Amino acid sequence: MPELPEVEVLVRHLGPLLRGRTIRGVEVRRAKVIAPTPKRELVKALRGAKFAEVSRRGKYLLFMLRRTSSRKPVLLVGHLGMTGRFYLLAKDAPPPKHVAVVLDLGRHQLVYEDTRYFGRLTLDTRGPEKLGPEPLGPEFTVEYFAAELKRSSQAVKVKLLDQTLVAGVGNIYASEALFRAGISPQAKARDLGREQVKRLRLAIREVLARAIRLGSTLPLDFGGDGNRDGLFYYGQAEDASGFYGERLLVYDRRGEPCRRCKTAIEHCVQAARSTYFCPRCQREP
DNA sequence: CACCATGTTCCTTG
DNA sequence: CCAAGGAACATGGT
């Protein structure tokens, strides 16, 4: 479930587990995910390098690596796409289906698994460089947000998915934030008034921060199949605990009663993505 | 079999 | 040149 909050929770768990560990070997099982970095180049850069810091930018994972020989750090960039997973496995555990890359860490292996192979694990840093401000950071100001929205004739929900506007909002949290702000997803971005922009900015920050808070309280070793051996698995936490349903107010709730006014939640398609909203609580400007 | 899915990029059209 | 819409990517679930 990778939007900003899921990636943030993953980073907070991975950081302490990886920091200081040395990469002994690199196995690329699906060359597509490391593109455009050639396999040889990746192996050369990673083997013998040590994890220094694990951080996040938008939906991207940033692995800062250092090697004792050279002083310049290597930045390894990860992206989970729709179905990507990073977790640790015991050294000789058989890697499951759809493993794209395995990093040998000695007693453990860091596995990057991705059923649909839409994600990335690469030395190409152009992805995160194009991103807009962090929604929870100081650069995401009302002034900036208002000015950017004014320049767009797109529906505001579609605009929220533009990672150069603000980094990390995905299809689920876009619908959730608009519901909390009481704004119709079909409203043109440039038509929002000052108060609506303020409310939307706040709603985005609250929705993301809340998801991070909730996600951080959950154990991540949901494997349950023994294979992962409890060490680390970022999986279907929401389904397993049933808390997914509680935290989402509109997403995937077509026909169900609005939590606020009981009106049936509606669904529409915008830019080929599903949008959910309450026709009564969310109005056009 | 048909349709849908948390994301991004590329191509076409206007 | 830019905005907008749609397909493509690859696999699995319903």
Side-chain angles (χ1 to χ4, degrees):
Chain A
M1 314 300 248
E3 293 185 31
L4 184 150
E6 291 75 20
V7 179
E8 177 63 27
V9 171
L10 176 62
V11 161
R12 291 183 189 186
H13 279 79
L14 276 183
L17 293 173
L18 293 181
R19 214 168 295 134
R21 311 280 295 263
T22 300
I23 300 170
R24 316 275 184 92
V26 180
E27 186 189 351
V28 178
R29 298 193 167 210
R30 184 67 75 119
K32 183 202 169 201
V33 306
I34 68 170
T37 305
K39 192 187 284 194
R40 284 203 189 106
E41 195 183 313
L42 187 79
V43 172
K44 188 179 172 191
L46 298 196
R47 191 192 285 144
K50 185 180 283 192
F51 283 95
E53 284 301 324
V54 183
S55 58
R56 175 194 62 73
R57 180 79 173 85
K59 301 172 194 171
Y60 287 87
L61 291 148
L62 306 179
F63 300 97
M64 195 61 84
L65 308 171
R66 292 189 178 281
R67 31 199 329 107
T68 43
S69 52
S70 89
R71 315 305 165 217
K72 58 172 188 179
V74 172
L75 179 58
L76 178 65
V77 174
H79 195 290
L80 299 173
M82 299 270 266
T83 53
R85 302 271 187 275
F86 278 88
Y87 51 86
L88 292 182
L89 278 184
K91 184 181 175 58
D92 15 273
K97 215 174 174 181
H98 303 311
V99 169
V101 178
V102 181
L103 302 185
D104 175 7
L105 302 178
R107 284 164 49 214
H108 302 103
Q109 36 188 152
L110 175 64
V111 174
Y112 164 41
E113 170 191 334
D114 191 341
T115 355
R116 292 166 73 179
Y117 304 106
F118 284 180
R120 284 288 182 277
L121 186 62
T122 177
L123 296 177
D124 179 13
T125 60
R126 287 173 301 178
E129 283 166 7
K130 290 183 219 159
L131 298 175
E134 284 292 318
L136 300 176
E139 290 173 11
F140 185 49
T141 61
V142 178
E143 292 69 35
Y144 165 82
F145 196 31
E148 289 298 310
L149 292 176
K150 271 284 172 266
R151 296 181 342 115
S152 173
S153 59
Q154 274 182 315
V156 59
K157 191 268 188 171
V158 176
K159 193 64 190 165
L160 287 183
L161 300 181
D162 177 356
Q163 302 298 298
T164 69
L165 169 69
V166 58
V169 177
N171 201 41
I172 293 177
Y173 294 113
S175 281
E176 294 296 314
L178 286 164
F179 172 74
R180 285 174 171 266
I183 297 168
S184 165
Q186 280 133 336
K188 303 274 186 204
R190 65 161 59 120
D191 292 342
L192 298 196
R194 187 76 175 182
E195 281 312 304
Q196 289 181 307
V197 173
K198 277 188 183 173
R199 267 189 289 146
L200 181 54
R201 171 181 171 275
L202 196 60
I204 290 168
R205 292 162 63 101
E206 284 177 350
V207 156
L208 298 179
R210 182 163 172 278
I212 291 171
R213 208 181 327 123
L214 291 176
S216 300
T217 68
L218 295 174
L220 290 191
D221 47 1
F222 279 90
D225 41 315
N227 258 358
R228 275 112 192 196
D229 210 3
L231 197 57
F232 190 82
Y233 173 52
Y234 187 74
Q236 306 292 325
E238 302 84 341
D239 296 337
S241 66
F243 114 117
Y244 183 83
E246 284 175 38
R247 79 179 170 163
L248 298 181
L249 302 181
V250 289
Y251 187 81
D252 206 21
R253 296 193 65 237
R254 171 173 13 190
E256 293 175 43
C258 169
R259 305 263 191 223
R260 191 184 288 153
C261 77
K262 309 302 179 201
T263 301
I265 297 301
E266 287 187 13
H267 168 271
C268 68
V269 173
Q270 297 179 284
R273 316 290 309 272
S274 271
T275 299
Y276 298 85
F277 63 100
C278 170
R280 183 166 166 195
C281 294
Q282 298 175 256
R283 296 176 301 97
E284 305 236 2

